[in-house]
Amino acid sequence: MIQVLKKRKKIAFRVLILMVFFYVTLLVDGLMNLLDNPITLILLMIFWIGLIFVLIPSFIKKYWKLVVFIYGPILLYFLYLRLFSGGLEAYLKIRGDFPFYLFLLPIPPLFLVWAFEQWKWLQNLKAEKSKTELSLLKSQINPHFFFNTLNNLYALTIKNSKHAPEVILKLSDMMRYAIYEGKKEFVLLKDEVTYLESYIELHRIRYHKSVSIKFDYCIEDGDTIAPLLFIILLENALKHGVEKLTEDAFVKMNLKSSESEIHFSIENNFDPKEISLEKGIGLTNLKQRLSLTYPKRHQLVINENTNTYRVDLKITRYV
């Protein structure tokens, strides 16, 4: 905060010096009473360039060659007419042929260049912000999933279950996928399917009750998707549906891809009496990731009936 105040104070001081320079230039020009004083014109140009340099130094540093290229020939032409055209009377005769608004014409293009630079900077800033937010959201997924899975493994080891080694192996593969593939912007859709199938197998080993989990899919080998999106919906279906029901629990999933879109749907039943008041990060996380990764290219529809919960996620390939 102190550094910002110091910087603003320094800028204000420099602007004040330039304003004094400006008024002194006008005062000297009035005292000299010289028509189209070339010295005054040069000093005024120095004032305006100096003011722009103080306010937006990065623009002048980057485009000073463009400024010189535009104003250099105009200034040289004016000096030639004013000083080397045969005296004041000769200059006055040809003065009408030199429109002074030529000094103003370059201002709009330079302003447009500056405006474009500001727009580009703002877009880069938004992109960096989105990238940072997306990385944070991805980092929230892995602990959320591994916490649940490690709890499952803990229960199996306590019971000395023969399935414990199988769970450890699958968990190792899934951790490797989540850690390395989860960092990528996009992954193969078939790899996501394998990830979901492994997750389902882990839960089938865990449950000691009748649970129907069906997963139908029809995809192409080259299809891609942002990683670890569907697992959030599957986790919710198992946590709030299967785990709360004592019998007849089911989860139905369907994944289809076409040239225009990817459609994932998941439906599960739940016990209306077992309504969880816990607000997890899963669904909120998913909505934020979709808005960052697929802005205006996704549709998330949630339908909740008396004892069934269905989510449809459609991702459009192109706008």
Side-chain angles (χ1 to χ4, degrees):
M1 184 65 179
I2 297 176
Q3 291 180 347
V4 173
L5 292 175
K6 287 183 177 179
K7 185 176 181 180
R8 291 182 177 178
K9 185 177 180 181
K10 185 181 294 185
I11 292 175
F13 179 72
R14 291 176 178 176
V15 171
L16 180 62
I17 291 177
L18 286 171
M19 294 305 299
V20 172
F21 175 82
F22 175 75
Y23 285 112
V24 169
T25 299
L26 295 182
L27 179 62
V28 173
D29 181 70
L31 293 174
M32 293 180 67
N33 194 24
L34 183 63
L35 181 65
D36 293 345
N37 191 336
I39 297 177
T40 301
L41 181 63
I42 294 174
L43 292 178
L44 288 177
M45 290 183 65
I46 293 174
F47 164 75
W48 285 113
I49 294 175
L51 185 63
I52 295 174
F53 180 77
V54 169
L55 298 178
I56 43 176
S58 59
F59 180 82
I60 291 296
K61 289 178 181 178
K62 187 173 183 179
Y63 292 103
W64 68 269
K65 292 181 180 179
L66 178 63
V67 174
V68 172
F69 176 78
I70 293 175
Y71 277 104
I74 297 176
L75 179 61
L76 291 176
Y77 182 58
F78 167 76
L79 292 176
Y80 169 76
L81 293 179
R82 182 66 181 82
L83 301 176
F84 306 103
S85 60
L88 182 59
E89 293 183 359
Y91 167 72
L92 291 176
K93 291 181 180 179
I94 61 175
R95 183 186 181 191
D97 298 330
F98 183 82
F100 278 86
Y101 63 78
L102 288 176
F103 287 99
L104 302 177
L105 286 180
I107 293 178
L110 290 174
F111 175 78
L112 290 176
V113 171
W114 174 81
F116 175 75
E117 284 288 320
Q118 299 306 301
W119 176 84
K120 189 167 65 173
W121 172 80
L122 184 60
Q123 294 301 115
N124 291 336
L125 184 64
K126 289 181 178 179
E128 285 298 320
K129 182 175 180 292
S130 296
K131 186 177 180 180
T132 302
E133 290 177 352
L134 191 57
S135 298
L136 178 61
L137 290 171
K138 285 183 177 180
S139 69
Q140 292 175 340
I141 293 173
N142 296 345
H144 183 60
F145 161 69
F146 292 131
F147 176 78
N148 292 338
T149 308
L150 288 173
N151 276 344
N152 299 345
L153 179 59
Y154 175 73
L156 291 173
T157 53
I158 286 179
K159 298 176 182 179
N160 293 320
S161 172
K162 64 179 181 180
H163 296 296
E166 182 182 351
V167 171
I168 293 174
L169 184 59
K170 283 188 176 294
L171 180 60
S172 175
D173 291 337
M174 295 179 70
M175 287 180 66
R176 187 180 298 107
Y177 179 84
I179 292 172
Y180 294 105
E181 299 300 313
K183 292 179 180 179
K184 297 180 180 179
E185 187 176 1
F186 297 101
V187 296
L188 290 174
L189 188 55
K190 65 177 182 179
D191 291 339
E192 280 291 298
V193 169
T194 302
Y195 185 78
L196 291 174
E197 288 178 328
S198 297
Y199 186 85
I200 292 171
E201 286 302 314
L202 286 178
H203 281 274
R204 280 187 175 140
I205 294 171
R206 174 193 173 200
Y207 294 134
H208 298 283
K209 57 185 177 181
S210 176
V211 177
S212 174
I213 304 178
K214 294 182 179 180
F215 183 22
D216 297 321
Y217 55 89
C218 180
I219 61 174
E220 298 294 333
D221 288 341
D223 289 339
T224 59
I225 191 75
L228 307 174
L229 290 178
F230 305 137
I231 188 66
I232 297 175
L233 297 174
L234 178 56
E235 278 187 324
N236 285 344
L238 295 174
K239 180 179 179 181
H240 301 291
V242 171
E243 294 186 9
K244 304 293 184 181
L245 289 167
T246 56
E247 59 182 10
D248 298 328
F250 73 82
V251 176
K252 298 178 182 178
M253 293 190 297
N254 191 279
L255 176 61
K256 292 183 179 180
S257 65
S258 64
E259 293 183 359
S260 59
E261 68 176 17
I262 295 174
H263 183 195
F264 177 80
S265 65
I266 183 167
E267 183 179 1
N268 66 277
N269 59 343
F270 64 91
D271 187 352
K273 298 178 183 179
E274 297 287 342
I275 300 177
S276 177
L277 298 178
E278 180 184 354
K279 300 295 183 182
I281 65 172
L283 196 57
T284 300
N285 187 309
L286 175 62
K287 291 178 179 179
Q288 290 177 322
R289 288 191 64 202
L290 288 171
S291 65
L292 290 171
T293 310
Y294 299 103
K296 299 180 181 180
R297 291 174 51 199
H298 72 276
Q299 183 180 13
L300 184 67
V301 180
I302 301 174
N303 292 307
E304 183 175 348
N305 297 324
T306 305
N307 65 340
T308 59
Y309 191 86
R310 179 184 173 89
V311 179
D312 282 272
L313 173 59
K314 294 182 180 180
I315 297 174
T316 305
R317 294 185 185 276
Y318 307 101
V319 179

